[in-house]
Amino acid sequence: MLKIGHRGAMGYEPENTLASFKKALNLGVDMVELDVYVLKTGELVVIHDDRVDRTTNGQGYVADKTFAEIRSLDAGKGEKIPTLNEVFNLIDRKVPINIELKGAGTAGPVAKLIGEYISEHGWTNDDFLVSSFNHRELKKFKDLKPTIRIGALITGIPIGYAEFAQKLGAYSLNPSLEFISQEYVDDAHKRGLKVLVYTVNEKDDIKKMMELGVDGLFSNYPDRI
Ligand code: G3P
Ligand code: CA
């Protein structure tokens, strides 16, 4: 069972900050998960919402901000919103990184950055898993970087169970805990897909997921797994 640190280890440190990713590594995760947007000035930054309001002392849309504006914000406990490069450098291949494409137009710059880390810094395909609820953005990424694993995020139960993920050429189906069932898990496995469930924090849910035979859990408290 893969222990995946959700937005780092957001149960302990401000989500999607370097402090949170350091904490996740210290807790012995098998993978870290993060969310990305592109700024007005072109940089890839790690933040969950399309606005900065909930997680920082600022206001407004992430995509409307310049790098200088983003860096002036406090993301909690004095932490800054990190760039994707900064998180890559911190993780430094210790565990694979699950990059969730949140913002529109993230597929291209993420594919480019992954390409650079592979060709210039000795990283490999296995250091990455790219996911999204936006399956059109995910398909764009897959077309640009066919050798990098992708995970198809979904809330709810599609008519064809995991068929859509297989059609996307995904490595994993990433379903919500709320909608999981034995039939759904078995269908994904029959199609050769891993099943990585979000967001699983409670001990009884962790036990239930183990009984269903899923392959990994995203957790705010990855040490509970
Ligand atoms: O990738 C799993 C999970 O992070 C998806 O939901 O809203 O936490 O990004 P969310
Ligand atoms: Ca996410």
Side-chain angles (χ1 to χ4, degrees), residues 6-7 33-35 48 100 102 133 153:
H6 189 227
R7 308 181 205 169
E33 187 264 358
L34 54 79
D35 308 281
H48 180 271
E100 183 186 340
K102 276 282 193 233
F133 286 104
L153 277 161

Side-chain angles (χ1 to χ4, degrees), residues 39-165:
L39 296 178
K40 187 166 113 181
T41 41
E43 296 83 358
L44 281 165
V45 287
V46 179
I47 182 167
H48 180 271
D49 301 358
D50 59 350
R51 298 183 66 95
V52 298
D53 304 46
R54 181 181 61 85
T55 56
T56 77
N57 56 346
Q59 285 180 334
Y61 285 103
V62 176
D64 291 343
K65 305 251 177 242
T66 63
F67 184 62
E69 284 165 347
I70 276 285
R71 289 300 240 208
S72 71
L73 303 176
D74 184 340
K77 296 187 185 172
E79 290 289 313
K80 299 286 171 205
I81 295 172
T83 61
L84 188 56
N85 303 53
E86 286 171 330
V87 179
F88 281 10
N89 295 341
L90 173 79
I91 298 296
D92 195 24
R93 304 195 62 211
K94 290 181 184 74
V95 295
I97 303 174
N98 175 202
I99 303 155
E100 183 186 340
L101 308 176
K102 276 282 193 233
T106 43
V110 167
K112 186 165 175 276
L113 190 67
I114 287 177
E116 281 168 22
Y117 272 72
I118 291 176
S119 63
E120 293 166 29
H121 303 291
W123 290 46
T124 68
N125 291 338
D126 293 343
D127 291 319
F128 305 101
L129 172 66
V130 172
S131 61
S132 193
F133 286 104
N134 181 341
H135 298 166
R136 298 181 71 86
E137 199 70 31
L138 198 55
K139 165 94 171 50
K140 258 187 230 167
F141 176 83
K142 187 71 179 166
D143 290 344
L144 290 167
K145 284 265 168 260
T147 58
I148 301 292
R149 300 178 291 173
I150 60 166
L153 277 161
I154 189 109
T155 307
I157 307 175
I159 288 289
Y161 278 138
E163 187 188 14
F164 76 97

